[in-house]
Amino acid sequence: MKRKILVVDDDRDIVASLTRVLQMEGYDVTGETNPITALKIIKNDNFLIVVSDIQMPEMRGTELLRQIKEFNGMIQVIIITGFVTIDNILSCLSLGANDCFFKPFKDKSELISAVKTASGKLERWEQIINNLVRMKAE
């Protein structure tokens, strides 16, 4: 099942590029340059995969990640950043990010692979939940 993906980055060119690449893979992709608006979109729609930058002026990506996980821990968040520090990476890891990629991208195939992995993880959890619901109904 191809998932709905939200790409969040304050750089419109990166949003456009990643949106295009992921759409070519068959995903339903929405791009957003404002993380505050992105959080509203996540809360009002069924996005279970988010690709987000860390450094954004309206809200840091680590704060967006924290709020996403508080809202719905099942949402898979992949971090992208051009501002690489140990603190950023460790914060993202401790807040539950699935993966982290550094900008500029040399090859977007690794990001595509991470999205496929996140989608597979969601599919597995959905199978477990569906099995439990079926067992309870029997």
Side-chain angles (χ1 to χ4, degrees):
M1 166 194 260
K2 295 293 181 177
R3 304 280 175 184
K4 290 175 67 173
I5 300 172
L6 181 62
V7 175
V8 186
D9 195 307
D10 59 315
D11 185 326
R12 291 184 187 282
D13 292 336
I14 289 175
V15 170
S17 174
L18 293 181
T19 298
R20 189 172 41 257
V21 165
L22 293 168
Q23 284 173 337
M24 288 176 18
E25 292 294 317
Y27 294 101
D28 179 4
V29 186
T30 299
E32 180 54 55
T33 57
N34 183 310
I36 296 167
T37 304
L39 191 57
K40 290 176 186 172
I41 291 169
I42 290 164
K43 290 181 176 181
N44 292 316
D45 211 334
N46 191 27
F47 288 94
L48 290 177
I49 299 176
V50 176
V51 177
S52 176
D53 189 16
I54 290 179
Q55 287 297 115
M56 296 179 281
E58 298 85 1
M59 177 191 301
R60 289 190 39 81
T62 50
E63 178 60 18
L64 178 61
L65 170 60
R66 187 189 64 73
Q67 289 191 38
I68 288 170
K69 290 297 188 172
E70 281 181 6
F71 170 70
N72 180 348
M74 289 291 293
I75 296 175
Q76 308 295 296
V77 181
I78 299 166
I79 296 296
I80 55 176
T81 185
F83 187 70
V84 181
T85 69
I86 295 291
D87 287 340
N88 276 347
I89 302 310
L90 292 177
S91 291
C92 291
L93 179 62
S94 69
L95 290 168
N98 289 54
D99 214 329
C100 183
F101 294 93
F102 305 128
K103 299 185 288 185
F105 299 105
K106 292 180 184 173
D107 181 4
K108 292 184 181 94
S109 66
E110 287 183 344
L111 179 64
I112 292 166
S113 179
V115 168
K116 288 178 183 176
T117 298
S119 183
K121 184 176 179 180
L122 287 166
E123 194 170 304
R124 175 68 182 133
W125 279 112
E126 288 168 353
Q127 288 173 350
I128 291 168
I129 291 166
N130 289 337
N131 287 339
L132 288 173
V133 169
R134 259 194 311 275
M135 288 170 45
K136 191 170 187 166
E138 293 173 350

